[in-house]
Amino acid sequence: MKKEKLGRVDVKRKSLRQSLMEWKDSLHWDKPQNVMLAVTLFVLVSAFLIFNNLSVSYARHWDIEWGYYSILLTFLLLVAGVVVNAPFIAKHFRGFMPSGKSFCGLALLLIVFSAFIFGNIGNTHRVLSDETSWESMGLQMYFQHTGGVCNEGVWTDGVLDCKTEVNNFKGKALGFVYSLVFNFMEPNRDSALMVNYPFYILSLIAFFLALSKWFKSDKLALAATAFLGGMPIYLLQSRSASTEVLYILLLAVLMAWYAFVPTNKVTWKHFLLTVPLLGFFAQTRQETVFAFIPFALYYYRYFLEKPYRLPAFVASVIAVSWPSVNTMAAYRGYDFQGGTHAAHSLENFWFNLKTNIDVMMNLNTDSAFGGIMENPFYTTFTVILLLATVWLLFRMIYSRRYVRGFILGITFCVQIFVILLNVSGTFTIDINQRYVLVALPMFALLMALGLYDALVFTTKMQKDAAAKIVAGVACLLSVGLMVYHAPSYKANMLYYKNKLLIEEDFLNTELAKYPKNSVFIYARPWQMLASGHTSFSENTFKSWSTEQFAEWMQKSGGNIYLVRGQDGYGKVNRNSRVVGFKTTDQIDDILSNYKNERVLMEARLFGYGLAIYKIISKKGVSHYAQNFMVTEESNGMIVVNKRFPESIACDYTLNDKKQGEILVSNSADTLILDAAKIRAGLNRVVLSCYMPDEDTLVTYRDFFVEAPNVALLSKLKVNKFFQEWGEPQIDATVDHHKITIDGEPFRYGIGSHANSSIEFSLARSYDWFNVVIGLDDESACGDGAFFIVEADGREIYHSKKLYTTDKERLRLNIKGAKSINLRVTMGDNKDCDHGDWAHAWLEAEK
């Protein structure tokens, strides 16, 4: 008996060896395939080296300047792919379609889900910080065609003027979709919130089509679709603004496209659609690029036929995924989460994995006695998923079934492992519960297939009958559990403890009552921008000079408000696994230094006092100074505004030459400059106004007159740069403030930091380079720095060591130069060496 069993085992082993040998022979692996593998590795290593050696400042600069145009090109490539493949799609479309009965079943299911969604789930944000930042990115793409997030800005007549733009390491695809939607709807939060529901419906349709082909069973595909559509977290996010819903849609469309194009019929034309879809897919979540292996393995025979195909595919995918990977490089080492459970560690991986399974298996939250459901995934579904996965693994090992699916699935799961490894991906934190969305399509597939296979294998039931049973079970469970937990959905299950969500909805209603030109100071200004309000952060407000404060008081009609929400109380816990934005100290400073009036206090809804303060005046500063504003020059005119009754007299100069005086009697009087004395290039008007309290207020107004023989350096494109801290800022300091050297403000210039090198290519020949150099007033702690100017690589100026308050005005001969390079080098160290190249402009002799 033992020998007979051993014989059977030997036969099985031999069969396995034979299978492996036959598979290897079928690949026709030879020298061309070795070349293919070597070139592919070269492409991957080259891409890694390029990204890994990018400076953080350069990567962020590239992302903001070119991120929008990169994804726009990907979109145009997608449109071209649809056009090129239209004949193929039209020819094979009918054969791909499931039966009419199954479509009716799908339609009925979608109607049930939709009715439940609109009857029980509010259309609101649920993650907030990320969601509103993507909306702000969409606004920036729509108005400015740049790729960053507008962090602070001003709304004027329905147009957003961004004042501070920053990077975001994910969500660029969703931001681009918003920029398209804003062409047809109001560019704001409410329009963005309407996008995810159609994404949800379309994703279920595409998922059903893909699985109908792969499973060769419409009923089994309907079962998986029912499981996916009924997932709690997916139902909730269908009425939110999560990028993961777009992720599922793109994944489902890719699955449907791969199912539509058989492996023996694929051609290069099909990849014109595949590659841009993968490009958009990569820019939903930053980890998605780690899921691209199965998209190459699926057509491995096609790639093996010609050695250039796989390297070309990999290079193309890297090209369309560039913004995502580039920004990941920019954020490397950015420990925005971690604390005690440090991100980027195996300890973090195991902690997240165990915690997530514990949350998903929480029986109390999936019972009649559990109160509001806190589980992102029904416990019933979790049990089915775990049992189905174990069963399919058993079938793969015992019966050698589903091996190809396992390989594709496990390589797809690499991204999930990266999430668990790199971030605080535990579902005990409500904002992280959306992470499960990236795995939901696979979960739904495993649940349906596992139930079906177990039923067929153990009962020998007919396949069609088994598929009907599984479809019935899936639909009943999804709809039944959904309806059973309806009160939890109405209570915003999973997110009901997040008071920031309630705060946002409350502010959206409350702030609509305030004047349209109001300015709001808030910890999350990008969130305010997405709701259509002009907003700045507390730190920016604190940095305003008296002149800037007076300017915004004038523009807002005295309607500047400080909003103190949840982030305005307590301290940031650096050991927490949650991102913190506590701004308590800044708010306390503002309330101490400004006369204010509390106009609202609401504590009942939040457990903390949501307060709104109207800022009245700056303490210790002349009443006249902070109610006096001078506009920028426009068509040779400058308007002087005052918000007090007394008349004032002002002397003024133009380009250091005294011009005369103006008497300001009205609330607004206009100073008309002598056009004959305005020169091509940089001009400066200085007004010295004598206030009723015997104080003299000096105001600088700079303007640049364009002409063929002059150029403002800050308007030219930076050819290349290197900077050891931060990145060069245009018309601002390296710390995003107004350029000021020894108390003198400058409207134009480049804010840099030691050690740095900023190179400009000159489109034409100039004779003179004019500039004011020095350390900005914000860098009082610096130990001095050197300023160096090079023309065509040749040093033409080297300053002495300049300390804070040191300032030099230069006019350098650069005749014939084709490039100019500005360098700042540190003294003993680079700390606080904020070097300004103020009023830098080029001039050619006529």
Side-chain angles (χ1 to χ4, degrees), residues 723 727-735 739 749-753 758 776 834-838:
Q723 194 161 293
E727 57 186 87
Q729 298 300 313
I730 302 301
D731 299 335
T733 69
V734 72
D735 214 16
I739 295 174
I750 299 163
S752 186
H753 193 288
I758 310 170
D776 196 89
H834 296 202
D836 291 335
W837 301 91

Side-chain angles (χ1 to χ4, degrees), residues 380-395:
T380 309
F381 279 14
T382 305
V383 173
I384 294 173
L385 171 66
L386 294 176
L387 292 176
T389 303
V390 170
W391 174 261
L392 292 172
L393 287 173
F394 162 74
R395 287 280 279 151

Side-chain angles (χ1 to χ4, degrees), residues 135-149:
E135 290 161 6
S136 187
M137 183 190 296
L139 291 170
Q140 196 65 351
M141 287 181 171
Y142 175 66
F143 286 113
Q144 302 295 333
H145 293 171
T146 57
V149 173

Side-chain angles (χ1 to χ4, degrees), residues 736-751:
H736 306 284
H737 298 137
K738 188 172 185 176
I739 295 174
T740 309
I741 306 175
D742 190 24
E744 182 180 354
F746 297 89
R747 180 179 180 183
Y748 307 107
I750 299 163

Side-chain angles (χ1 to χ4, degrees), residues 473-491:
V473 169
C475 291
L476 287 173
L477 279 176
S478 293
V479 175
L481 287 169
M482 180 180 71
V483 173
Y484 177 76
H485 289 291
S488 292
Y489 284 99
K490 289 180 179 178

Side-chain angles (χ1 to χ4, degrees), residues 93-106:
F93 183 76
R94 179 167 297 190
F96 182 71
M97 287 295 100
S99 67
K101 286 185 178 180
S102 64
F103 255 128
C104 289
L106 176 65

Side-chain angles (χ1 to χ4, degrees), residues 698-767:
V698 179
T699 304
Y700 298 82
R701 284 296 174 263
D702 306 313
F703 60 97
F704 193 84
V705 177
E706 301 286 351
N709 66 314
V710 296
L712 194 62
L713 194 67
S714 56
K715 292 292 180 68
L716 300 184
K717 182 181 177 181
V718 175
N719 185 29
K720 60 182 178 180
F721 72 89
F722 162 78
Q723 194 161 293
E724 289 191 13
W725 188 88
E727 57 186 87
Q729 298 300 313
I730 302 301
D731 299 335
T733 69
V734 72
D735 214 16
H736 306 284
H737 298 137
K738 188 172 185 176
I739 295 174
T740 309
I741 306 175
D742 190 24
E744 182 180 354
F746 297 89
R747 180 179 180 183
Y748 307 107
I750 299 163
S752 186
H753 193 288
N755 294 312
S756 64
S757 173
I758 310 170
E759 183 180 292
F760 296 86
S761 295
L762 306 182
R764 58 157 293 174
S765 177
Y766 294 96
D767 297 306

